[in-house]
Amino acid sequence: MTHYGLDAREWRTLEDEVLALFTLILRVDTTNPPGGETACALVLKDYLAANGITAELVGELPQRQNLVARVKGTRPGPTLVLMGHMDVVPADEKEWSVPPFDGVVKDGYVWGCGATDMKNQVAAEAVAIARLARAGADFGGEVVYIASVDEEVGTHCGVRWLCEHRPD
């Protein structure tokens, strides 16, 4: 049986890679306010670097840096942006059955603040771009990966800042 062109072993390896990165970034408290996404961005930057991708941290505030990485194709073509945000809403630990920043896998689910909004997608997209880079795929254009900050409050540091200061 195949899943999206991957055999069962390849699919499980991909799931394991996403889960490892996902639970790792869930353990970083990126509650907004006050923010603190740079710590999460550094985890992602290290992961991407281990996969041959250079990423940069950009932003207005040192503790609230967006991560941007690019994988260029072998020929001209369109740009595809994969983007998600790292910040999460406040979590009252008393309301959780597991600590909100432990990134726990329990009863077949991943538990943590940001698990469904949206560190799941941030991790999956990072693995997707890493897999693309590792494969040396022949494609046209460029894939840009952005892990942004400040989506939950949206005042100035995230996508708004990127659009104003780094429209590229």
Side-chain angles (χ1 to χ4, degrees), residues 43-109:
V43 171
L44 293 165
K45 185 177 182 184
D46 288 347
Y47 168 80
L48 293 171
N51 286 280
I53 301 171
T54 301
E56 62 179 322
L57 301 182
V58 295
E60 181 177 12
L61 301 173
Q63 73 277 18
R64 306 206 67 196
Q65 294 287 294
N66 301 281
L67 179 134
V68 179
R70 299 170 181 276
V71 175
K72 294 185 186 274
T74 56
R75 60 189 179 283
T79 298
L80 172 66
V81 175
L82 303 176
M83 185 179 79
H85 64 88
M86 299 176 285
D87 62 317
V88 298
V89 297
D92 182 350
E93 193 163 336
K94 294 179 294 227
E95 296 176 358
W96 285 71
S97 61
V98 298
F101 296 104
D102 277 8
V104 173
V105 179
K106 177 182 167 187
D107 301 327
Y109 294 94

Side-chain angles (χ1 to χ4, degrees), residues 12 26 32 35 38 44 50 59 83 87 100 105 108 114 117-118 129 142 144 156:
R12 184 64 192 165
L26 281 173
N32 185 3
T38 298
L44 293 165
M83 185 179 79
D87 62 317
V105 179
D117 182 25
M118 94 177 291
I129 197 169
E142 178 178 42
V144 179
H156 57 84

